[in-house]
Amino acid sequence: MKSKVAVLRTRPETVLDDYRHLCALAGLREALDPGATTILKDNISWHLMYPSSNTTPWQLEGTILALHDAGFHDLVDVHNKTVVTIADLGDQYNKFGPVLEKYGIPKKYNFRDEDMRWVEIKPKAQMAVLHKIFPHGIYIPDFFIGKNIVHLPTVKTHSYTVTTGAMKNAFGGLLNVNRHYTHTWIHDTLVDLLAIQREIHTGIFATMDGTTAGSGPGPRTLIPHQKDVILASADQVAIDAVAAQMMGFDPMKIEYIAHATERGLGQGNPREIEIVGMPEVAEERWNFKVGVNLGTGTGRLLWHSPLKVFQKLFFHTPLVNIFIFASEYYHDHFWYPLYGKPVVERWKRESPWGQLFEQYPG
């Protein structure tokens, strides 16, 4: 059987119902275990509000409604910590909190001991890189084991992985704050994490918001484009492949998609993916480009050029704090006030999606 990806055109007036229809088309009910808790794994690429960078409040709400329609009411939202994003600020600025409160959904944090502990696992699947990167053991949050997970990425490019979506969304939840150790081997890291997910979760599903999609030096300093598209699938590889192709890339030339397909973890070959809903929308090609900014350009040099021989010195010692401070200062205190804020304000004024965002309580 071909993998199935649902694709729909949407608009603000109908987006919540469209998400409900989208998830039903993609087989949400069949993909998840009705007897298990379901984790909502939101995507906070940047704690600041920036269009196309983070899970949208209507994506979160629409997915919750779809889960309720399918009989799933035991839901928990999980935030993760990174060295460059602050979970609670991301929750606040992107308006997740009021949506979760509206439906009585609790929040947990993968970096708080009272919510979950990090435990060593020994995957049955052969790891490509994680066992080498973390020779003292692969650790994941114990709370993730034995639960469904629904990923909530957006349609956008990424300076290190070409595109980012459902597979990359597991990166923050399953790996701890030392996940930056993996960047030189990021593609195979994502494939290893998908193999682990298939072992620990009772079901996996994803919705992907492309109402405003992002091109350029993602996942933060993007160029937003109104596309009015939403996607969903139980196949994490297939949904990433369809989104990549719509953005204008050949998915089988993107390493993480190709390698996951080769390992039988999903289907990245568009000829083997069935598009349901509005197949004509999936035929669009947007000619997105992958860019770099000062921060991601520096990262490329240190992780993917001959300079990578120094990465243990730079990133496995207290010297890493220099790079963390530089990234935070560049993105939050230079780029965002100078370039990002005007984009956000124009989006709120002129885009129907920005106007919808303003209607959500802060």
Side-chain angles (χ1 to χ4, degrees):
M1 291 180 61
K2 289 187 173 183
S3 292
K4 182 166 62 176
V5 177
V7 181
L8 291 177
R9 181 82 70 201
T10 188
R11 53 195 176 91
E13 295 80 6
T14 63
V15 69
L16 296 182
D17 284 338
D18 290 341
Y19 262 109
R20 298 166 84 166
H21 181 46
L22 178 86
C23 291
L25 286 171
L28 171 67
R29 188 190 305 272
E30 296 76 21
L32 305 179
D33 180 353
T37 298
T38 298
I39 294 171
L40 294 166
K41 183 61 192 69
D42 55 59
N43 175 218
I44 302 176
S45 293
W46 201 352
H47 47 252
L48 298 177
M49 193 283 134
Y50 191 80
S52 77
S53 188
N54 306 309
T55 299
T56 65
W58 50 88
Q59 176 186 10
L60 179 60
E61 183 170 17
T63 303
I64 291 168
L65 290 170
L67 284 161
H68 286 179
D69 290 346
F72 297 91
H73 296 276
D74 182 9
L75 310 179
V76 179
D77 187 81
V78 174
H79 290 324
N80 65 263
K81 182 179 182 179
T82 79
V83 294
V84 293
T85 60
I86 302 168
D88 280 331
L89 289 182
D91 181 285
Q92 175 186 344
Y93 293 150
N94 290 283
K95 301 186 176 182
F96 300 162
V99 174
L100 297 171
E101 290 171 12
K102 178 179 179 180
Y103 296 98
I105 297 172
K107 287 182 283 191
K108 290 186 180 292
Y109 300 79
N110 75 352
F111 52 91
R112 294 182 179 174
D113 288 345
E114 62 267 31
D115 287 342
M116 56 195 77
R117 300 276 181 158
W118 290 83
V119 296
E120 184 178 3
I121 62 159
K122 298 185 182 299
K124 297 175 184 176
Q126 178 65 45
M127 296 287 97
V129 295
L130 283 183
H131 64 299
K132 301 174 186 176
I133 300 169
F134 301 109
H136 301 297
I138 301 169
Y139 287 78
I140 66 169
D142 60 358
F143 184 76
F144 280 55
I145 299 170
K147 294 179 176 64
N148 301 317
I149 192 162
V150 178
H151 291 289
L152 299 160
T154 59
V155 180
K156 57 181 179 284
T157 55
H158 195 289
S159 294
Y160 301 146
T161 54
V162 185
T163 67
T164 176
M167 285 179 64
K168 183 68 164 56
N169 202 56
F171 188 63
L174 282 183
L175 292 180
N176 63 23
V177 290
N178 291 327
R179 67 180 69 88
H180 56 277
Y181 291 3
T182 69
H183 275 135
T184 296
W185 309 274
I186 186 63
H187 289 274
D188 280 321
T189 292
L190 300 186
V191 181
D192 281 351
L193 289 175
L194 180 55
I196 289 171
Q197 286 187 87
R198 287 165 61 96
E199 292 181 16
I200 66 169
H201 292 308
T202 49
I204 309 173
F205 194 79
T207 65
M208 187 180 291
D209 195 278
T211 53
T212 302
S215 176
R220 286 183 281 181
T221 59
L222 295 154
I223 302 167
H225 301 268
Q226 183 179 335
K227 293 300 179 183
D228 305 331
V229 169
I230 53 177
L231 305 89
S233 182
D235 185 331
Q236 311 299 282
V237 186
I239 192 172
D240 283 355
V242 171
Q245 191 170 49
M246 292 177 71
M247 284 186 267
F249 303 100
D250 180 346
M252 291 300 285
K253 290 184 178 178
I254 299 174
E255 288 182 47
Y256 74 88
I257 294 175
H259 292 182
T261 304
E262 291 163 5
R263 287 176 59 176
L265 298 172
Q267 183 54 257
N269 185 340
R271 292 189 296 274
E272 300 299 326
I273 299 172
E274 177 189 5
I275 306 296
V276 297
M278 298 181 179
E280 68 280 6
V281 175
E283 294 298 319
E284 295 180 1
R285 302 293 180 264
W286 302 334
N287 198 33
F288 279 11
K289 304 296 182 185
V290 179
V292 294
N293 59 32
L294 180 62
T296 57
T298 302
R300 280 186 175 184
L301 282 174
L302 296 173
W303 285 311
H304 301 290
S305 81
L307 291 176
K308 66 185 180 183
V309 297
F310 298 111
Q311 64 177 269
K312 283 196 174 181
L313 171 65
F314 290 143
F315 300 120
H316 293 226
T317 71
L319 287 175
V320 71
N321 292 304
I322 297 173
F323 296 95
I324 294 170
F325 173 79
S327 177
E328 178 186 356
Y329 186 84
Y330 172 76
H331 287 99
D332 290 12
H333 303 290
F334 173 75
W335 194 92
Y336 192 85
L338 190 61
Y339 300 105
K341 189 69 172 175
V343 170
V344 172
E345 294 306 318
R346 185 168 61 251
W347 178 74
K348 289 179 179 179
R349 288 194 312 270
E350 300 176 4
S351 168
W353 299 107
Q355 293 164 14
L356 178 61
F357 182 83
E358 290 289 82
Q359 292 175 25
Y360 274 84

